Amino acid sequence: MSGEDTLEPRRRATGRKPRRGDLLEAELTGLDGRGRAVGRAEWTDGREVDVRVRGGVPGARVRVDVFRRKGMRVEARIVEVLRTSPVAVEPRCEHVSTCGGCSFQNIDYAAQLAEKHRILSGLLAPLGDHDVQPVLANGSAFGYRNKMDFTFGNRRWVEEGEPEGAERDFAVGLHVPGRYDKILDIRRCEIAFEAANPILGTVRRLAREHDLDAWDVREHRGLLRHLVLRHGVRSGDILVDLVTTERAHDRIGPFVEELLAAHPEITTLVQRVDSGVALVARGEEEVLFGPGYLRDSIGGIEFRVSAASFFQTNTVQAERLVELVLEDAAVREGMRVFDLYCGSGLFSLALARAGAQVIGFELVEEAVADARENARRARIEGVEFVAGDLARTLAPHAARGEAPELCVVDPPRAGIHPSTLAALRSLAPERIVYVSCNPKSAVRDLILLLADGYAFRRIQPVDLFPHTPHLECVFTLVRRAGPRGPGPEGPGGIASRA
Ligand SMILES: C[S@@+](CC[C@H](N)C(=O)[O-])C[C@H]1O[C@@H](n2cnc3c(N)ncnc32)[C@H](O)[C@@H]1O
């Protein structure tokens, strides 16, 4: 602060750019894809500064403290709200100031959707002028996640106002943003399925009572690593997936017994062992209780989902994704379809039931086993699954001339691997339905597909992740008349509006 004890800009020197410690007054105008508010401030020489702040609400005027700068773009912290935004709402979550997961929760839900639409439209702008449908809202914007992946750690994030001497060497919760070693103890997560919160609390209590130590990410020791809680929304099943560094039956056994006794709603519990240093949950599995999988159903088809298998984390919105894929697939009896990145068969089974001949491709063996079993139980024919990395499994199908009329593509956040994209382009299906959880990587892939002569038929964003910056989108592409196969690279051949 200045000598007059006000929050006036600390340094007003002209002829330089803003720097760490400068205070600016910013008008917040929108959000970015990383969960920050974006805004403008006027610099001393009249130039505009592009400001990014966490926790800001579009429409607010704020005083910010700069901590990083690149050119005339700064990252800053809000120190004072000078004018509240009309779309500001009271955040529901007690962890909002530290967690960083639901960075949009202090913004009215309709405004979140409008911002997501604007962000997506901005990302798609280099592809030409295309209609982006309004984002399909999530009916209930809380308690929607059917899967929570919590982490154990022996360095608990100490929150403001905590008494001196509070225990710090155990936490189960979520990583503090930007701190790979610190875990925020989560008492209650507002977007998790309701039953997850009491189970999390019991796991914390029992782990302490049984003296089970949490993973030390720096020293690479400790027993407990991850706690994954999953819910079959339509069946009520609850799967607990406990990831530890060793089996340690003698220590884990009594803990599990007490956990199951306290929570009879848990229908299955698996233990996976992972002694490696990776921060994501994986590892060899042993079923300690129940069948080892949960059941959920979408579009009238029941899915068995094992601990290692992917399943969409928002069951209600996943059903809308399936509806959209079916609508845009325009299935004809016997139509050949490839479902790339098929998981436990979500789209494959719906398409096969509608009459298509489907081949699903998936890396994770357990997911492929689930998909086959799901098809068998639902008595759906005309579908087969290929296990393995698409970078190896797709090209042989392309080489054999088994060209599908439709490809459904639903890759992980990184988008389609270049070699898989090359194989997809040489397959040149009439139609591609690209389901993406990361529009940024999708745009990179779409540029090449549009250059091959595809045009958008529909761009339909779906909100699977309220209060977070994440957005799911279904891009439907149809091949226009002309030679099949890859065209020139780059956005040269992009069609405007399908
Ligand atoms: C976003 S999920 C989509 C799953 C499925 N379409 C669904 O909606 O349930 C992506 C899937 O791609 C799989 N995957 C990731 N990399 C892969 C690869 N290289 N080859 C094949 N499958 C892969 C993952 O295991 C995961 O099941």
Side-chain angles (χ1 to χ4, degrees), residues 159-336:
E159 295 174 75
E160 254 181 59
E162 280 195 37
E164 271 299 307
E167 192 183 60
R168 294 171 178 211
D169 63 351
F170 188 94
V172 53
L174 300 169
H175 276 279
V176 173
R179 292 297 304 264
Y180 83 106
D181 56 342
K182 291 281 184 193
I183 303 297
L184 175 67
D185 234 357
I186 296 289
R187 289 174 292 274
R188 180 175 167 79
C189 173
E190 296 290 346
I191 60 171
F193 63 96
E194 193 48 48
N197 289 308
I199 296 174
L200 176 67
T202 307
V203 166
R204 177 180 298 113
R205 175 176 63 76
L206 290 177
R208 302 310 283 144
E209 285 173 17
H210 288 258
D211 207 16
L212 304 182
D213 49 334
W215 178 245
D216 183 328
V217 74
R218 290 195 200 146
E219 308 288 331
H220 298 162
R221 58 169 186 242
L223 179 62
L224 301 175
R225 297 208 58 181
H226 297 277
L227 173 74
V228 185
L229 302 178
R230 299 177 78 167
H231 183 216
V233 172
R234 305 268 162 73
S235 66
D237 288 353
I238 293 180
L239 180 150
V240 175
D241 177 7
L242 185 67
V243 184
T244 56
T245 47
E246 52 177 319
R247 283 273 167 244
H249 277 140
D250 51 330
R251 301 176 69 201
I252 290 293
F255 161 81
V256 164
E257 241 171 64
E258 279 194 51
L259 177 63
L260 294 173
H263 292 280
E265 68 275 22
I266 296 173
T267 51
T268 192
L269 191 148
V270 304
Q271 183 190 9
R272 282 192 283 165
V273 169
D274 184 359
S275 50
V277 294
L279 293 173
V280 289
R282 59 181 171 79
E284 211 178 290
E285 177 181 315
E286 185 179 335
V287 178
L288 300 186
F289 173 72
Y293 57 81
L294 59 74
R295 297 157 304 150
D296 210 341
S297 63
I298 288 187
I301 300 175
E302 186 174 274
F303 291 86
R304 164 188 117 163
V305 185
S306 306
S309 301
F310 178 89
F311 198 64
Q312 297 288 347
T313 53
N314 181 330
T315 305
V316 173
Q317 293 295 72
E319 189 145 298
R320 305 187 88 171
L321 284 182
V322 173
E323 286 161 11
L324 290 168
V325 168
L326 281 174
E327 264 171 48
D328 285 1
V331 173
R332 298 180 300 270
E333 193 62 37
M335 181 171 144
R336 291 183 310 280

Side-chain angles (χ1 to χ4, degrees), residues 310 312 341-343 346-347 361-364 388-390 410-412:
F310 178 89
Q312 297 288 347
Y341 308 93
C342 70
L346 184 67
F347 303 130
F361 296 79
E362 167 61 43
L363 178 67
V364 174
D389 187 339
L390 269 160
D410 183 10

Side-chain angles (χ1 to χ4, degrees), residues 332-492:
R332 298 180 300 270
E333 193 62 37
M335 181 171 144
R336 291 183 310 280
V337 177
F338 283 3
D339 179 12
L340 312 186
Y341 308 93
C342 70
S344 38
L346 184 67
F347 303 130
S348 303
L349 297 196
L351 290 159
R353 192 179 56 176
Q357 289 289 323
V358 184
I359 306 181
F361 296 79
E362 167 61 43
L363 178 67
V364 174
E365 301 270 354
E366 291 90 336
V368 171
D370 285 345
R372 290 185 179 133
E373 183 60 15
N374 292 334
R376 195 187 64 76
R377 289 187 191 189
R379 299 178 200 281
I380 294 174
E381 302 201 332
V383 59
E384 59 179 284
F385 295 96
V386 177
D389 187 339
L390 269 160
R392 277 187 306 99
T393 55
L394 187 57
H397 285 267
R400 280 206 294 272
E402 298 167 0
E405 290 143 283
L406 163 73
C407 282
V408 176
V409 191
D410 183 10
R413 282 190 64 73
I416 308 175
H417 185 274
S419 63
T420 304
L421 187 58
L424 170 66
R425 294 171 76 194
S426 67
L427 285 168
E430 280 164 25
R431 221 168 247 241
I432 297 174
V433 180
Y434 188 147
V435 182
S436 164
C437 58
N438 181 2
K440 221 170 176 177
S441 59
V443 164
R444 184 201 61 210
D445 300 337
L446 289 165
I447 284 175
L448 296 180
L449 293 169
L450 293 174
D452 287 353
Y454 287 92
F456 283 121
R457 188 169 181 280
R458 172 152 69 163
I459 301 173
Q460 179 62 70
V462 184
D463 195 22
L464 262 70
F465 315 104
H467 309 299
T468 79
H470 300 293
L471 182 61
E472 192 85 8
C473 189
V474 180
F475 300 96
T476 303
L477 300 156
V478 287
R479 187 159 49 77
R480 293 174 302 176
R484 291 160 61 99
E489 305 230 336

